[in-house]
């Protein structure tokens, strides 16, 4: 998988973007389902929300927020690369996008606990 | 497989979602403190046209964006072509849209 | 470092893409030695039927590229010392191209895509006209110059996973060439270029993996060129809509 | 026993050998000038556009584009540089048409050459020129020219036969005309005979029979060897140009022999012998800035005195100019040396004279006609344009100009040609047999033979020559030749069998080496690239002669023919009266 020609920052950024997009896409229908429980069975939604209080689940949530943030900031970086007439220092930008994502999900984490 | 049209759609929906998604995260960060409950969520959103538009737009965009994204991944990973790929993309988009809209309706209009 | 003259452990791909395998050869180490020298030494001294390709031996023709320890490289200008792992070298045919035999690939798909991307000049003048005076420092000219020294070695093509996953994708070199032509003030058919790079294998398929720029032996940056094409195609999209 | 070999047959109308400047332009022009529906085929030993030397052109392209410079001046420089030996009509057309060709390259083909700040083309002066005339794209001019030509050719309906090696020009039964060309499809090892009404040969010479040489690895004088077998007369075959500063890094590496740019000496680079002393001023008042032939001889003489570096050459030193200056001025060269493990900017790099260009070739008229109907020759395969020495920048001008001429002429003449001609089947099968020969013999050491040929040529028919040496070389060459015909190659597969092609390369090189040596023997004076220690004088200019070599049933003959001064006589000039000697400002 991690073959030699893939061991550089921009490829890793690409991979992270794809991975996060994929996980988000798979998670989303689930998320929608849970939310729509509010319509049909509010008590089950509450049950579910209580379940999310468990540390493991919390951590998974943080992970999701992280992936969402990664995907958003990574996506913004990509679109900046594509649409803004500037080109240099893509590696720095990719790293910054990742850093911001960490920051956001950390904030989320701290608020959540 | 992306031609200019799908690419544009994907980028436009991404641009639409960027502020919405960031907004959503912000709300989450704010709301999650002290735990979530159905009532709490509903009290914020129920009957609000704003939240309906907010999440409605989000769902619309994400359906298009996610369907195109998965389409690319499926094509590049499994080499699926033409009709099959198109069909699958539409189905994926529809699933996003239906489940998503149901959720939006659930929290805003009921 | 190969200071004491020992033998290199060289594994070379033999045969076709599906049925081939790596074979081991011992090659005497030298101070000044490129990967191409290693391959030639094997062909000249151990197995005369080893198939590989080179021409200029100085990094101008772009016909000697191979996978060296998993990375695409121009072999005539890759010093053994730079890539040696322990004492081992693993040499395989360039990725993403059909293998003819051993280390020789069929580069036709690469060039077919070059042409398909409209990667050639569309004249506006003839040999009877004077040569156009052009400001070498204008922004368009600089953009054109940025990618002009491509030697079509297909190293970027081999490095790109999108090429691997998407057989229609025109690939970094062809697209970069299209961008260069697009920026040439003398070119007469920019719409044709944008059209050619907006199809189903076009520039929009690039995921900005950046491996092309990472590996280009001439330090060119096809990723930036492709971004330029995306930008230009979006611009023209909106113009047409209006 | 070799199995009976099937020959695949293929027909076309216009067949072009080679994809250098000559081949590419022939294809484009033929396509423009031939009647609708004419089939055009390009066959190359390598991949289209990725082999040959035009791609390797660094310095640039000579063309008189005004600003004081004129076609007349370019012509006079060419004739003087060639020491009055060029065919003047051929040289004139070269200079005249270069103007058109360079406009075509810019305007139609899409090459972009370096500009001055005001937007006009930048031109510089190569050694031996009296005007700033050389158009260029940095120091990678050939890449720009060939890549752009390649795109044009690939995007047109021109049939491609890649990795097709021409092995024989096959005449008609009566020998009056060319019927077609026999190829080996290198990828499969099959033979393919291609009939064509008109064939342009542009295989680009390539003096790779020398121990140190610059050309592309695919070049091995195949074209001239084929022409020789077909009985065509060749001229100026003793004229081999050496570049003074080839990289020297040991025998085991292909880097050895590759060119270190001329500009290094021009910028003040110093040549040092093994003891670290400058020596060029012992040989010429211009020191390192003397012309290619003079500097090559200076280095060679120093090597003969055993004042050498580790690998037996001399050093080039740039460091006194300041490593950063060097890095900035010659980025490509510095990087290339660094990739190979040498520090050009700050250290010493070993160099040696290296065989660079072949002035000799098939005798052609200014329309690229040869003595054989249906065969046209252009580029480095053709003789006459440069005489005894080629000006830097005239090589690519020559191949592009005459390739284009050949294309136009073929396109026009093909209208009057009847049907495809049938080959002499005996010659065809003899050529197949010749090529198959080594496959049925026991393999043995080709490297030793190649080494011996290259040593013989370098030592005895190289930078400095004597009768004794040349005669020794002739024996050595013929020994190699006969050993070669006893030597086989591994033949378990003919597909992409490089050992087999090594053998064929060596066979061509041997054949042409013999001609070089015999022509060198026939010229008893010293002109341009040809230097006879036993005849150091240039001889009478008005009585200038060129050598003509031809093979027939009676063997190889070399004769002398007087140069016809059709445009200008020695001692005269066609420049208007009062024109300055040179327009180039003397550089400090
Ligand atoms: C390193 C270097 C630098 C140079 N720099 C300059 C310079 O600055 N300025 C200048 O004017 N000149 C320069 N020259 C000389 C110039 O490159 C040549 O004079 C010119 O390009 C020759 O063009 P061509 O078309 O005749 O041959 P080439 O460009 O050599 O092309 C020959 C073609 O024939 C093919 N071929 C060979 N054998 C066969 C066969 N048996 N069957 C089929 N195809 C065959 C080859 O593969 C190739 O495609 C330089 C040469 C070298 C080597
Ligand atoms: C939350 C919902 C989202 C989901 C489910 C999602 C999903 C995906 C998927 C599956 C891909 C394909 C990945 C690939 O081709 O490698 C993708 C690509 C992309 N996404 Fe998202 N995305 C979401 C939100 C966003 C947002 C908010 C942005 C904007 C900033 C964005 C920007 C992008 C971009 C630019 C691409 C293209 C990447 C490429 O072509 O390489 N996405 N997305
Ligand atoms: S862009 Fe670079 S890596 Fe790609 S073909 Fe051109 S020179 Fe080679
Ligand atoms: S590696 Fe491939 S994905 Fe794009 S940036 Fe380069 S072409
Ligand atoms: S042999 Fe020409 S680039 Fe390596």
């Amino acid at each position: 998988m991690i073959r030699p020609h893939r061991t550089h920052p921009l490829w890793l950024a690409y991979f992270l973007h794809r991975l996060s997009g994929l996980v988000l896409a798979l998670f989303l229908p689930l998320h929608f389902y849970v939310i729509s429980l509010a319509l049909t069975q509010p008590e089950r939604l509450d049950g579910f929300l209580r379940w999310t209080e468990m540390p493991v689940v919390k951590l998974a949530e943080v992970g999701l927020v992280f992936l969402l943030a990664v995907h958003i900031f990574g996506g913004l970086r990509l679109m900046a690369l594509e649409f803004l007439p500037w080109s240099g220092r893509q590696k720095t930008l990719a790293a910054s996008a990742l850093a911001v994502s960490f920051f956001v999900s950390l904030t989320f984490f701290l608020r959540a606990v | 497989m992306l031609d200019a049209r799908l690419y544009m759609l994907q980028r436009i929906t991404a641009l639409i979602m960027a502020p919405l998604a960031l907004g959503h995260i912000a709300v989450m960060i704010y709301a999650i403190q002290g735990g979530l409950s159905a009532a709490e969520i509903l009290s914020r959103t129920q009957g609000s046209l704003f939240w309906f538009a907010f999440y409605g737009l989000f769902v619309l965009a994400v359906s298009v964006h996610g369907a195109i994204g998965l389409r690319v991944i499926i094509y590049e990973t499994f080499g699926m072509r033409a009709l099959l790929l198109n069909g699958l993309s539409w189905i994926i988009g529809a699933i996003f849209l239906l489940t998503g809209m149901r959720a939006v309706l659930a929290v805003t209009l009921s | 470092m190969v200071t004491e003259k020992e033998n290199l452990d060289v594994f070379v791909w033999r045969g076709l893409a599906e049925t081939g395998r790596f074979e081991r050869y011992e090659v005497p180490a030298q101070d000044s030695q490129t990967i191409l020298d290693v391959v030639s030494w094997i062909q000249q001294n151990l197995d005369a039927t080893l198939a590989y390709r080179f021409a200029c031996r100085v990094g101008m023709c772009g016909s000697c590229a191979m996978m060296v320890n998993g990375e695409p490289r121009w072999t005539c200008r890759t010093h053994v010392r730079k890539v040696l792992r322990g004492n081992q070298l693993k040499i395989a045919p360039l990725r993403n191209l059909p293998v003819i035999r051993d280390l020789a690939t069929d580069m036709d798909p690469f060039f077919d895509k070059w042409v398909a991307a409209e990667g050639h000049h569309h004249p506006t003048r003839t040999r009877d006209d004077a040569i156009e005076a052009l400001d070498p420092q204008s922004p368009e000219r600089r953009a054109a110059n940025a990618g002009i020294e491509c030697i079509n070695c297909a190293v970027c093509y081999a490095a790109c996973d999108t090429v691997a996953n998407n057989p229609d994708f025109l690939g970094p070199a062809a697209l970069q060439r299209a961008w260069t032509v697009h920026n040439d003030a003398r070119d007469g058919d920019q719409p044709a270029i944008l059209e050619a790079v907006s199809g189903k294998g076009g520039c929009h398929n690039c995921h900005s993996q950046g491996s092309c720029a990472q590996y280009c032996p001439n330090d060119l940056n096809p990723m930036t060129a492709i971004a330029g094409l995306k930008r230009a195609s979006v611009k023209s999209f909106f113009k047409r809509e209006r | 026993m070799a199995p009976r070999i099937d020959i695949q047959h293929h027909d076309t109308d216009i067949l072009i050998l080679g994809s250098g400047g000559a081949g590419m332009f022939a294809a484009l022009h033929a396509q423009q000038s031939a009647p609708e529906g004419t089939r055009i085929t390009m066959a190359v030993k390598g991949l289209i556009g990725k082999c040959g030397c035009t791609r390797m052109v660094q310095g640039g392209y000579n063309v008189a584009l005004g600003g004081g410079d004129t076609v007349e001046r370019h012509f006079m420089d060419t004739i003087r540089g060639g020491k009055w030996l060029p065919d003047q009509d051929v040289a004139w057309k070269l200079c005249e048409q270069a103007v058109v060709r360079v406009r075509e390259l810019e305007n139609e083909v899409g090459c972009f050459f370096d500009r001055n700040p005001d937007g006009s083309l930048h031109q510089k002066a190569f050694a031996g020129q009296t005007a700033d005339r050389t158009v260029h794209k940095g120091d990678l001019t050939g890449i720009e020219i060939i890549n752009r030509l390649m795109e044009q050719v690939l995007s047109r309906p021109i049939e491609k036969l890649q990795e097709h090696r021409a092995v024989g020009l096959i005449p008609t039964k009566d020998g009056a005309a060319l019927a077609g060309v026999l190829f080996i499809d290198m990828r499969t090892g099959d033979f393919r005979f291609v009939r064509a009404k008109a064939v342009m040969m542009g295989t680009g010479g390539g003096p790779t029979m020398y121990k140190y040489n610059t050309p592309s690895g695919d070049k091995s004088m195949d074209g001239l060897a084929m022409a020789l077998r077909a009985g065509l007369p060749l001229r100026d075959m003793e004229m081999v140009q050496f570049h003074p500063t080839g990289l020297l890094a040991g025998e085991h590496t292909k880097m050895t022999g590759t060119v270190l740019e001329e500009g290094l000496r021009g910028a003040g680079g110093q040549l040092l012998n093994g003891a670290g002393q400058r020596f060029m001023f012992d040989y010429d008042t211009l020191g390192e800035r003397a012309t290619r032939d003079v500097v090559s001889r200076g280095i060679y003489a120093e090597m003969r005195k055993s004042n050498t570096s580790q690998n037996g050459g001399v050093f080039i030193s740039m460091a006194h100019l300041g490593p950063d200056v060097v890095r900035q001025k010659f980025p490509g060269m510095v990087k290339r040396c660094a990739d190979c493990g040498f520090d050009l900017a700050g250290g010493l790099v070993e160099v040696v004279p290296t065989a660079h260009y072949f002035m000799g070739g098939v005798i052609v008229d200014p329309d690229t006609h040869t003595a054989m109907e249906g065969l046209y020759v252009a580029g480095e395969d053709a003789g006459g344009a440069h005489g005894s020495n080629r000006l830097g920048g005239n090589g690519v001008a020559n191949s592009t100009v005459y390739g284009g001429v050949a294309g136009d002429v073929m396109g026009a003449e093909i209208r009057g040609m009847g049907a495809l001609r049938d080959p002499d089947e005996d010659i065809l099968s003899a050529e197949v047999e010749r090529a198959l020969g080594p496959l049925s013999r026991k393999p043995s050491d080709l490297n030793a033979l190649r080494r011996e040929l290259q040593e013989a040529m370098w030592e005895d028919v190289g930078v400095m020559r004597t009768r004794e040496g040349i005669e020794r070389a002739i024996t050595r060459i013929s020994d190699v030749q006969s050993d070669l015909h006893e030597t086989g190659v591994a033949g378990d597969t003919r597909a992409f069998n490089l050992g087999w092609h090594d053998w064929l390369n060596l066979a061509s090189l041997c054949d042409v080496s013999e001609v070089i040596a015999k022509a060198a023997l026939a010229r008893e004076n010293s002109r341009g690239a040809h230097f006879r220690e036993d005849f150091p004088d240039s001889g009478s200019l008005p009585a200038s002669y060129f050598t003509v070599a031809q093979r027939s049933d009676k063997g190889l003959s070399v004769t002398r023919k007087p140069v016809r001064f059709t445009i200008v006589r020695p001692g005269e000039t066609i420049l208007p009266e009062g024109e300055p000697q040179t327009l180039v400002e003397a550089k400090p």
Side-chain angles (χ1 to χ4, degrees), chain D residues 262-284:
Chain D
E262 195 109 61
L264 295 175
R265 283 181 294 122
Q270 298 180 348
L271 293 171
L272 310 177
N273 62 20
Q277 286 151 349
R278 273 180 99 177
F279 58 87
M280 265 319 293
F281 285 100
D282 300 350
Y283 301 96
D284 196 282

Side-chain angles (χ1 to χ4, degrees), chain A residues 14-15 17-28 68 71-79 82, chain B residues 2 7 10-11 13-22 58 62 65-73 76 96, chain C residues 204-209 230:
Chain A
Y14 147 80
F15 186 70
H17 193 77
R18 171 157 288 193
L19 193 70
S20 56
L22 185 62
V23 172
L24 288 175
L26 296 180
F27 157 81
L28 216 55
L68 179 60
H71 194 80
I72 295 171
F73 291 110
L76 287 173
R77 174 189 72 90
L78 281 173
M79 288 189 286
E82 288 171 349
Chain B
L2 272 184
Y7 166 87
Q10 205 194 27
R11 296 307 189 261
T13 50
L15 281 176
I16 294 173
M17 278 189 297
L20 299 181
L22 285 174
F58 196 128
V62 88
H65 180 92
I68 296 175
L70 288 180
R71 172 195 165 90
V72 172
I73 295 180
E76 289 189 5
F96 277 137
Chain C
H204 306 103
N205 290 277
C206 160
H207 301 294
S208 306
Q209 286 170 9
K230 289 174 179 166

Side-chain angles (χ1 to χ4, degrees), chain D residues 1 33 43 163 182 200 208 214 229 255 264 280 331 347 364 423 473 512 566 574:
Chain D
M1 262 297 294
S33 64
E163 290 179 329
L182 177 69
M200 202 258 357
T208 53
T214 68
R229 281 203 301 284
M255 291 178 286
L264 295 175
M280 265 319 293
V364 290
V512 178
T566 51
I574 56 168

Side-chain angles (χ1 to χ4, degrees), chain D residues 19-30:
Chain D
S19 69
M24 294 285 197
F25 264 104
L28 292 179
H29 278 223

Side-chain angles (χ1 to χ4, degrees), chain C residues 60, chain D residues 17-23 43-47 49 51-62 126 146 164-167 183 202-205 214-216 218-220 222-223 226 259 292 356-357 378-381 386 390-397 399:
Chain C
M60 294 181 95
Chain D
L17 306 185
S19 69
V44 254
K45 200 170 174 181
L47 301 181
C51 48
C53 293
T54 308
R55 179 136 189 145
M56 298 167 72
V57 164
Q58 302 181 328
Y61 191 117
N62 285 349
F126 251 138
I146 286 294
H164 270 61
R165 175 194 190 121
V167 286
F183 294 92
T203 65
T214 68
S216 171
D218 48 304
K219 298 221 300 189
S220 56
D222 292 342
M226 291 192 295
V259 174
R292 281 182 188 176
H356 185 47
Y357 184 88
E380 204 172 318
D381 275 347
H386 313 295
R390 173 186 69 98
L391 296 182
N394 265 4
V396 59
S399 64

Side-chain angles (χ1 to χ4, degrees), chain A residues 85-107:
Chain A
W86 101 71
S87 59
R89 306 222 317 278
Q90 278 306 319
K91 289 175 191 171
T92 319
L93 282 175
S96 321
L98 197 62
V100 175
S101 313
F102 267 118
F103 175 75
V104 169
S105 42
L106 195 69
T107 316

Side-chain angles (χ1 to χ4, degrees), chain D residues 382-514:
Chain D
H386 313 295
S388 70
N389 216 349
R390 173 186 69 98
L391 296 182
N394 265 4
V396 59
N398 178 56
S399 64
T400 51
V401 162
Y402 280 106
V405 169
D408 290 336
V409 171
M410 289 190 295
E413 293 183 354
I414 201 164
R415 293 164 199 265
M417 290 182 186
L420 288 163
R421 311 173 193 99
D422 282 323
D424 183 329
E425 294 290 344
D426 294 340
I427 296 185
L428 185 57
S429 43
E431 283 286 356
V432 170
E433 222 156 278
R434 189 190 72 86
L436 279 176
L439 290 172
S440 54
R441 286 190 292 267
K442 206 167 87 38
S444 72
D445 193 1
L446 272 186
N447 299 325
L449 292 180
R450 187 188 312 106
R451 214 171 296 129
E452 167 59 11
L453 176 72
Q454 292 186 331
E455 294 278 357
M457 291 302 284
W458 166 249
E459 286 160 11
D460 291 329
V461 204
V463 180
M464 293 206 242
R465 305 162 172 182
T466 61
R467 163 171 293 277
E468 201 192 349
I470 299 170
E471 281 173 346
R472 185 169 50 234
I474 292 174
T475 321
R476 291 171 78 180
I477 296 165
S478 107
D479 287 348
V480 172
Q481 224 157 3
S482 45
D483 285 353
L484 184 65
H485 287 94
E486 313 260 283
T487 301
V489 295
D492 17 332
T493 172
R494 296 213 310 267
F496 230 114
N497 183 335
L498 293 184
W500 184 24
H501 291 284
D502 281 343
W503 190 97
L504 292 164
N505 288 346
L506 203 47
S508 295
L509 291 175
C510 280
D511 290 356
V512 178
S513 297
E514 181 193 348

